[in-house]
Amino acid sequence: MRPAMKPLKPLDEALAELLAQARPLPATDQVSTLDADGRVLAQDCISALQVPAQDNSAMDGYAVRCADVTAPGRVLPVAQRITAGSACAALPPGSAARIFTGAPMPAGADAIVLQEDCQALAVERQTPSGSAQMPSGSGQTSPDHGLGQVQINARPQPGQWLRHAGEDIRRGAVVLTAGTRLTPATLGLAASIGLDRLQVARRPRVALFSTGDELVMPGTVPPGQMRPGAIYNSNRFFLRAMLLRLACEVSDLGIVPDQREATEQALQAASAAHDLILTSGGVSVGEEDHVKPAVQALGRLDLWQIAIKPGKPFAYGRVGPAHFIGLPGNPVSSFLTFALLVRPFVLRLQGMADVAPKPIAASARFAWPKADQRREFLRVRQHPMGGLELFGNQSSGVLSSAAWGDGVVDNPAGQTIAPGDSVQFIAFSQLL
Ligand code: AMP
Ligand code: MG
């Protein structure tokens, strides 16, 4: 007689239960900001200065007082030359300053005129007569600073091409908060307030192993010599890669045979020095699925059948001090349950608060006429003209779908899709 089926657990419920177990690792590391990409901040980053520190020029050109250029064509003596990183003096009334992008604005100046809108005039005594014309209307003679003169051909508006002190970051502002996962842009932002080292969450230590007597490591047996029924271990490659992208330290424990004793030994050995033991395969309820009884013998196990397709079997438990997560063996199931459940879990271990992927609305360019009882994650790809294309074979064993796709449609249970329907798209860039 078949045992009574437990109802399948909704994904959101499974994720909430899983995250409730993922208490952030206590220790932190201090790392160079240069090496912190992908790590999760363990500190708030507070700016001790304003950025930019001073008003400065957004372009190469001339700093002026707008009151001195009430009409195009005015000629002003060039009082100083200000380069990025240099100091400057106040701008005397009736003069201009040659200025470059990022250079500090001299006191008194209130606009930058683009160099394209200016004409530099050489100092009159050094030029052949007639070439440095004094435009009409500039009646007065100007002091000569040895930098020549400039004709301003466009009337400036106050504040134009000026970057204001503090317009990016105010002094005392919390620029990044603890729990933020660092990206190239946030590393730059931290550096812009002078932080050369950052306190980040310790890397989770993850032991990874695959189960299955049919598995062969690529490189050990050539394709032509594979025995009948043997398959190459593909899960190991994407699981390891995804863990590394999530800043984990991975101990690769290889393939564990479908034997109870070997499985227990592998789990036991891994439990002491790892935060998480992650396995693929062997978590269904067949007689050759030894992971379940082995974890139960050594610790505790919550085996869930999750109401998603693909990816139904999923196990969470503990082996000694380590967390245990057992993923299904089917490659696409393994890939997606990692993305939907393990990724949030390992990010939460690092103290990241907002770990849920963010779907966006997109238009289907395909039909999905047969609704499923489970919430489905369909492998799709963004079409260059907009909308989503569906991969033809959505079987949980067809890893080509995940390699071809650039995301999934999160399709609610019982939902069919017609071309043009709005669907929820989760990009793999959100999941990996
Ligand atoms: P299992 O969950 O162990 O029953 O495995 C389900 C299916 O996934 C079987 O067809 C296995 O051969 C396949 N499978 C399990 N582990 C892997 C792996 N590491 N790489 C590729 N396929 C796998
Ligand atoms: Mg198996």
Side-chain angles (χ1 to χ4, degrees):
M1 205 176 73
R2 289 178 59 170
M5 286 282 283
K6 271 205 275 179
L8 305 186
K9 192 180 276 291
L11 176 64
D12 296 338
E13 221 173 276
L15 181 60
E17 286 184 35
L18 196 61
L19 292 181
Q21 302 294 329
R23 264 178 294 284
L25 304 170
T28 60
D29 292 334
Q30 202 190 59
V31 296
S32 162
T33 304
L34 287 172
D35 300 324
D37 187 31
R39 306 294 294 271
V40 177
L41 268 178
Q43 59 166 120
D44 287 347
C45 297
I46 297 170
S47 184
L49 79 175
Q50 56 180 355
V51 180
Q54 302 142 311
D55 288 355
N56 67 88
S57 177
M59 296 300 255
D60 292 341
Y62 289 83
V64 298
R65 294 170 189 263
C66 291
D68 292 333
V69 192
T70 50
R74 290 288 149 83
V75 171
L76 300 172
V78 178
Q80 57 182 321
R81 191 170 178 278
I82 314 168
T83 55
S86 66
C88 63
L91 187 73
S95 70
R98 177 72 171 124
I99 196 163
F100 299 91
T101 305
M105 238 359 225
D110 58 3
I112 302 294
V113 183
L114 300 183
Q115 63 186 17
E116 294 85 334
D117 292 330
C118 299
Q119 191 183 349
L121 306 174
V123 186
E124 226 174 336
R125 59 184 136 77
Q126 294 174 336
T127 43
S129 62
S131 69
Q133 293 148 355
M134 293 298 280
S136 56
S138 80
Q140 81 255 52
T141 48
S142 316
D144 182 357
H145 301 272
L147 293 167
Q149 296 177 313
V150 61
Q151 179 175 311
I152 310 289
N153 294 324
R155 190 180 163 188
Q157 297 300 313
Q160 77 175 28
W161 301 118
L162 209 153
R163 300 195 286 217
H164 292 281
E167 75 174 31
D168 185 358
I169 298 166
R170 282 170 295 104
R171 190 192 313 270
V174 180
V175 168
L176 295 166
T177 51
T180 299
R181 189 170 173 221
L182 292 162
T183 58
T186 48
L187 295 184
L189 194 63
S192 78
I193 61 168
L195 300 178
D196 70 322
R197 303 189 72 74
L198 295 170
Q199 206 69 36
V200 296
R202 169 166 83 64
R203 292 181 184 278
R205 292 192 270 269
V206 183
L208 177 63
F209 65 84
S210 322
T211 72
D213 288 343
E214 72 280 29
L215 299 179
V216 171
M217 277 306 289
T220 59
V221 179
Q225 288 169 30
M226 292 281 274
R227 64 191 147 74
I231 58 167
Y232 288 119
N233 182 350
S234 51
N235 297 2
R236 176 183 185 177
F237 289 80
F238 62 73
L239 293 173
R240 179 173 180 280
M242 292 195 283
L243 287 165
L244 293 176
R245 285 195 180 192
L246 295 168
C248 295
E249 230 171 70
V250 180
S251 310
D252 197 332
L253 304 185
I255 298 164
V256 174
D258 285 323
Q259 291 160 18
R260 168 76 179 271
E261 203 172 293
T263 309
E264 275 192 36
Q265 274 171 12
L267 289 167
Q268 186 87 65
S271 68
H274 295 93
D275 303 303
L276 169 65
I277 302 171
L278 184 67
T279 66
S280 79
V283 287
S284 304
V285 283
E287 301 96 77
E288 290 306 321
D289 293 320
H290 298 280
V291 175
K292 182 185 171 211
V295 175
Q296 277 167 329
L298 296 173
R300 65 161 236 262
L301 186 77
D302 306 314
L303 184 66
W304 299 325
Q305 303 276 290
I306 301 179
I308 56 171
K309 189 178 175 181
K312 190 167 69 165
F314 183 90
Y316 171 80
R318 310 263 327 183
V319 179
H323 297 279
F324 165 81
I325 293 178
L327 300 178
N330 271 314
V332 184
S333 308
S334 210
F335 181 80
L336 283 174
T337 47
F338 184 98
L340 297 168
L341 292 156
V342 180
R343 174 184 183 276
F345 184 85
V346 298
L347 290 174
R348 183 57 62 80
L349 284 183
Q350 296 172 72
M352 187 169 162
D354 186 12
V355 292
K358 293 178 184 60
I360 56 164
S363 167
R365 295 179 81 102
F366 61 87
W368 188 248
K370 217 164 140 258
D372 199 277
Q373 291 176 332
R374 286 183 262 162
R375 180 171 168 183
E376 292 173 289
F377 289 91
L378 307 171
R379 274 75 69 212
V380 294
R381 174 152 98 178
Q382 287 174 290
H383 191 276
M385 302 292 285
L388 303 170
E389 300 176 273
L390 183 74
F391 190 76
N393 186 338
Q394 294 285 327
S395 155
S396 65
V398 175
L399 199 50
S400 309
S401 65
W404 177 90
D406 55 16
V408 285
V409 164
D410 179 355
N411 192 40
Q415 183 79 54
T416 59
I417 300 171
D421 282 357
S422 175
V423 293
Q424 291 294 302
F425 173 65
I426 309 175
F428 284 151
S429 58
Q430 285 276 320
L431 292 175
L432 304 178

